[in-house]
Structure formats: structure tokens, C-alpha cells
């Protein structure tokens, strides 16, 4: 029989902290946008993003990717720290004590609520030392110049820094598929730099994402 007293004592289950209806708050009259903890949020118009990408391409050429990746690395560190602090306060336990499914749900909802696209994390290759992230409808890549190379440098930097902070290891991130090149999603491989350094060469040789993952795993055996 259910003990009513225990039910009354137990705290109700909390929903996803980043649920948009609760997380996003603002004042249309004053043009303010904040999150549920009161931190100011910034809405970036597509025109500004396109202008930034175009300016970097004109000034730095192929070096613009390095600049964007570096910015993403810096941004990713701040993003992780805020993400961890807000979740720890909301769920009343540190990130390390969260169940993996709850952590992933929060991360995916956070990514979507901020308007960055739909994120999915694949841990299938975790035992081999790799994490695969996929982003659909990337707001950044949608506004990047169309070319002959993947354009998710900013997101690659964010993901590499975020998971570096999470795991305590210095991880790198390489993009293998890109919506700007006609792919259905943007795929990123996250792992120790020495282990993913071959990915760029395999991309140049024309290998697809599935083949690259097979080669990476074979390389670890």
C-alpha cells in the first residue's frame, strides 16, 4: 500500500530547467530578454550573423575557420560553467551526480531553447574514446557562406570546450558532414586531438561519416 505520508514528504519531480516556456522571460516594451535566473540574453539577427561571417571570410580567408573555432572554444567554456551552475542550483546536486539521460535531455533542450538548432549526442563510440554530436537546422551554418568545406567551426569549438570541461580532458572536435554542403545534418566527432587528427585527411579523400567512424575505431584496436 502507498504511504501517503511519504508522498507528501517527497518533493515533486522537476521538469527540464531549459523548457522554453519557463526559461525564456522578457519584456517586449523594453526589449529585454532574460533567462529564468535573471541573466540577460541576446537575440542575434540573421543579418548580423551573415555580416560577421562575410567579414571574416574577406579578412582572413581560410583562416576564418581557425578564428571561429577559437571563439567557440572560449564561448564553450563560459557556456559549460553557466550550464553546470544553473543545473546544480535547480536540481540541488552537482552535474557529476546527474543521471546521464537527464543530463543529455537538459543539454539538448538548452541548445534548442537558445535557438542553435536541434542537438543529438551519440555515445555509441564512447568506449572507443569518441563522442558524436549531430545538429540539425543550425542557425550559424544557415547564415555562413556556402563553399566547399564544412562551416560549423563555431559549434565545433563550443562542443570541444564544453566536453573538455565535462570530462576533464583536453578534447578536440572535427566536423564531418555539413548542411551547407547538402547533408541532412551537421556531424561532429569529439575526442582527444591525436586520435581525431586523421579525420581531416580522410575527409579530403572523400570518405563519408560512417566510414570515418569505422576507420577511427579500427585505429584504436
Amino acid at each position: 500500500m502507498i504511504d501517503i505520508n511519504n508522498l507528501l514528504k517527497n518533493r515533486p519531480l522537476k521538469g527540464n530547467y531549459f523548457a522554453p516556456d519557463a526559461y525564456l522571460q522578457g519584456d517586449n516594451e523594453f526589449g529585454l530578454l532574460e533567462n529564468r535566473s535573471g541573466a540577460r540574453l541576446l537575440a542575434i539577427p540573421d543579418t548580423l550573423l551573415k555580416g560577421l561571417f562575410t567579414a571574416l571570410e574577406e579578412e582572413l580567408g581560410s583562416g576564418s575557420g581557425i578564428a571561429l573555432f577559437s571563439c567557440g572554444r572560449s564561448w564553450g567554456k563560459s557556456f559549460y560553467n553557466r550550464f553546470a551552475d544553473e543545473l546544480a542550483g535547480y536540481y540541488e546536486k552537482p552535474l557529476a551526480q546527474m543521471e546521464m539521460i537527464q543530463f543529455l535531455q537538459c543539454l539538448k533542450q538548452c541548445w534548442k531553447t537558445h535557438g542553435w538548432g536541434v542537438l543529438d549526442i551519440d555515445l555509441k563510440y564512447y568506449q572507443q574514446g569518441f563522442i558524436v554530436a549531430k545538429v540539425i537546422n543550425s542557425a550559424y551554418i544557415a547564415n555562413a557562406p556556402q563553399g566547399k568545406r564544412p562551416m560549423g567551426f563555431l559549434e565545433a569549438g563550443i562542443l570541444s570546450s564544453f566536453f573538455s570541461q565535462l570530462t576533464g580532458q583536453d578534447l578536440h572536435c572535427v566536423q564531418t558532414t555539413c548542411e551547407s554542403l547538402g547533408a541532412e545534418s551537421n556531424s561532429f566527432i569529439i575526442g582527444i586531438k591525436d586520435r581525431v587528427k586523421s579525420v581531416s585527411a580522410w575527409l579530403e579523400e572523400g570518405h563519408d561519416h560512417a566510414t570515418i567512424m569505422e576507420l577511427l575505431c579500427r585505429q584504436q584496436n
Side-chain angles (χ1 to χ4, degrees), residues 54-71:
T54 301
L56 284 172
E57 284 287 316
E58 291 179 353
E59 292 294 327
L60 302 177
S62 60
S64 63
I66 298 174
L68 286 167
F69 184 86
S70 179
C71 289

Side-chain angles (χ1 to χ4, degrees), residues 125 128 130 212-221:
Y125 304 97
Q128 285 76 37
F130 306 107
I212 288 174
M213 291 309 307
E214 183 180 342
L215 292 170
L216 279 174
C217 293
R218 190 186 305 167
Q219 188 173 262
Q220 303 311 308
N221 295 331

Side-chain angles (χ1 to χ4, degrees), residues 3-12:
D3 188 334
I4 300 299
N5 290 325
N6 286 337
L7 285 177
L8 292 175
K9 289 179 181 178
N10 292 333
R11 297 181 180 180

Side-chain angles (χ1 to χ4, degrees), residues 128-141:
Q128 285 76 37
F130 306 107
I131 298 172
V132 175
K134 290 189 176 182
V135 179
I136 299 174
N137 294 330
S138 164
Y140 302 111
I141 293 174

Side-chain angles (χ1 to χ4, degrees), residues 21-60:
D21 290 345
Y23 185 75
L24 298 176
Q25 303 176 17
D27 188 321
N28 292 332
E29 183 178 351
F30 293 99
L32 297 177
L33 184 63
E34 299 176 338
N35 66 16
R36 64 193 303 169
S37 67
R40 186 71 59 85
L41 297 176
L42 177 66
I44 303 176
D46 288 349
T47 304
L48 177 57
L49 281 177
K50 289 178 181 178
L52 289 173
F53 278 121
T54 301
L56 284 172
E57 284 287 316
E58 291 179 353
E59 292 294 327
L60 302 177

Side-chain angles (χ1 to χ4, degrees), residues 76-184:
K77 184 176 181 180
S78 299
F79 170 52
Y80 172 83
N81 289 335
R82 174 166 290 180
F83 179 86
D85 288 345
E86 291 185 4
L87 287 190
Y90 182 67
Y91 292 111
E92 300 180 358
K93 57 183 174 182
L95 208 60
Q97 294 181 12
M98 289 183 66
E99 294 183 4
M100 181 59 68
I101 188 171
Q102 185 182 37
F103 163 76
L104 291 177
Q105 286 174 343
C106 286
L107 177 58
K108 290 190 288 186
Q109 186 63 66
C110 175
W111 200 276
K112 185 176 181 180
T113 298
H114 280 86
W116 300 344
V118 179
L119 172 69
D120 184 52
I121 302 295
D122 185 356
L123 300 178
K124 176 182 177 180
Y125 304 97
Y126 184 74
Q127 295 301 321
Q128 285 76 37
F130 306 107
I131 298 172
V132 175
K134 290 189 176 182
V135 179
I136 299 174
N137 294 330
S138 164
Y140 302 111
I141 293 174
N143 290 287
Q146 303 296 305
K148 297 181 179 180
R149 56 177 178 157
M151 294 301 295
F153 300 107
L154 187 66
E155 286 153 310
I158 293 171
L159 290 166
S160 67
S161 184
F162 183 93
F163 283 98
S164 292
Q165 297 293 315
L166 179 67
T167 62
Q169 300 185 66
D170 187 15
L171 302 181
H172 191 58
C173 180
V174 182
Q175 186 178 8
T176 55
T177 67
C178 188
E179 289 174 320
S180 69
L181 299 178
E184 295 182 354

